[in-house]
Amino acid sequence: WAASGDRLRTLSCLLLSVFCAGSASAQSENVTLLGQWNPEGYYSGCWGYSAPDGTELAIVGLLDGTAFVDVTDPASPRAAIVPGPRSGWREIRCAGHYAYISNEAGGGLQIVDLSDPRAPRDVGLYNGAFERCHSLHLDEGSGLLFCNGTNGRSVGLVVLDLTEPEQPAVAGALAEPYVHDMSSRDGIGYLAAIDAGAIVTVDLTHLPDIGVLATTSYANAFTHNAGLHVAAVLLNPEHYESIPADLVGRTRRLVVDK
């Protein structure tokens, strides 16, 4: 989401507390608990939204809907609940002043209008191309929403054009492989083909056609996620190491490629 550094830290701390009930008594380092919201006890997926009027929302997936938690004052979080299909899995992405919420139970992609961030409006469910979806990726450059793992494992991904935000239109689709997660940049998509143990690179510049550019397979791999985090790796490379290189007599070497 677009947020200032202070707001981002506030939201991060609040979301951490949401998923760690009782964390106030746990040992922490360089983290201050500013507020906590934990009435449900079962959560899946979280995102954030910064409204033009300054309202900050932490958006949290619940078993029977989605919570839009106003954390503008992090010490006093308040939530508006939008019911949705009962599902143990949700993902949320925001485009403009709309939230798009996937689930794996059925019914379709839920659309919520956040033009009044303190009173979210349930637009309804989009189910034109699928009923279920595992994960979402928003390409902020193109404004396209990628819906991964749609209808179980029957369709790899569906691309939605959000030009009409309350009535998405199919911009493209890829039947296979099954896509568990993905990222994209500059017209290139990087797909986590979890069942195939591979990262599939695709051309997104000629939709509705999606052309496969390369498939990189890994032995005994579980390609669960795909993301571009070059800046983060360069800033804190130790965060991406299971063991510090010097601890085992090795030298760290970064190879950055697109």
Side-chain angles (χ1 to χ4, degrees):
W1 59 73
S4 67
D6 290 340
R7 290 298 187 193
L8 185 59
R9 284 189 289 272
T10 296
L11 289 173
S12 299
C13 289
L14 179 86
L15 288 173
L16 178 63
S17 73
V18 165
F19 292 100
C20 300
S23 61
S25 60
Q27 185 177 5
S28 62
E29 182 179 353
N30 298 326
V31 176
T32 301
L33 178 63
L34 300 178
Q36 186 164 324
W37 181 86
N38 186 37
E40 293 278 336
Y42 188 98
Y43 309 100
S44 61
C46 61
W47 202 246
Y49 174 68
S50 297
D53 67 359
T55 302
E56 300 283 354
L57 295 180
I59 309 174
V60 185
L62 310 176
L63 185 62
D64 292 298
T66 304
F68 294 82
V69 188
D70 184 349
V71 294
T72 310
D73 177 4
S76 301
R78 298 181 179 182
I81 308 297
V82 176
R86 186 178 180 85
S87 175
W89 181 265
R90 296 184 199 281
E91 276 212 347
I92 308 107
R93 292 296 182 270
C94 291
H97 58 81
Y98 288 90
Y100 297 86
I101 307 163
S102 67
N103 78 85
E104 291 191 325
L109 181 74
Q110 190 169 21
I111 305 172
V112 178
D113 181 5
L114 301 176
S115 54
D116 182 352
R118 291 182 171 85
R121 178 178 67 90
D122 185 5
V123 173
L125 294 165
Y126 164 83
N127 52 21
F130 56 86
E131 293 279 336
R132 304 185 305 279
C133 172
H134 178 71
S135 65
L136 299 173
H137 165 67
L138 179 70
D139 186 305
E140 296 184 358
S142 65
L144 295 172
L145 183 67
F146 294 81
C147 307
N148 307 308
T150 54
N151 288 343
R153 280 170 157 72
S154 62
V155 180
L157 67 86
V158 173
V159 188
L160 295 181
D161 183 339
L162 305 179
T163 302
E164 295 292 336
E166 297 188 10
Q167 297 179 332
V170 175
L174 186 68
E176 57 183 19
Y178 167 73
V179 179
H180 197 72
D181 184 65
M182 70 163 292
S183 65
S184 63
R185 185 173 63 185
D186 300 331
I188 304 296
Y190 305 90
L191 317 181
I194 192 170
D195 292 343
I199 295 293
V200 179
T201 306
V202 296
D203 181 359
L204 302 172
T205 61
H206 301 290
L207 295 174
D209 296 327
I210 299 177
V212 175
L213 300 176
T215 299
T216 306
S217 300
Y218 303 90
N220 302 314
F222 190 71
T223 47
H224 188 270
N225 295 83
L228 298 170
H229 300 289
V230 173
V233 173
L234 294 176
L235 182 63
N236 291 302
E238 66 273 15
H239 290 180
Y240 297 84
E241 298 173 342
S242 58
I243 300 175
D246 56 2
L247 191 63
V248 291
R250 299 295 181 91
T251 301
R252 179 187 298 122
R253 183 175 65 175
L254 299 178
V255 178
V256 180
D257 194 7
K258 180 175 179 181

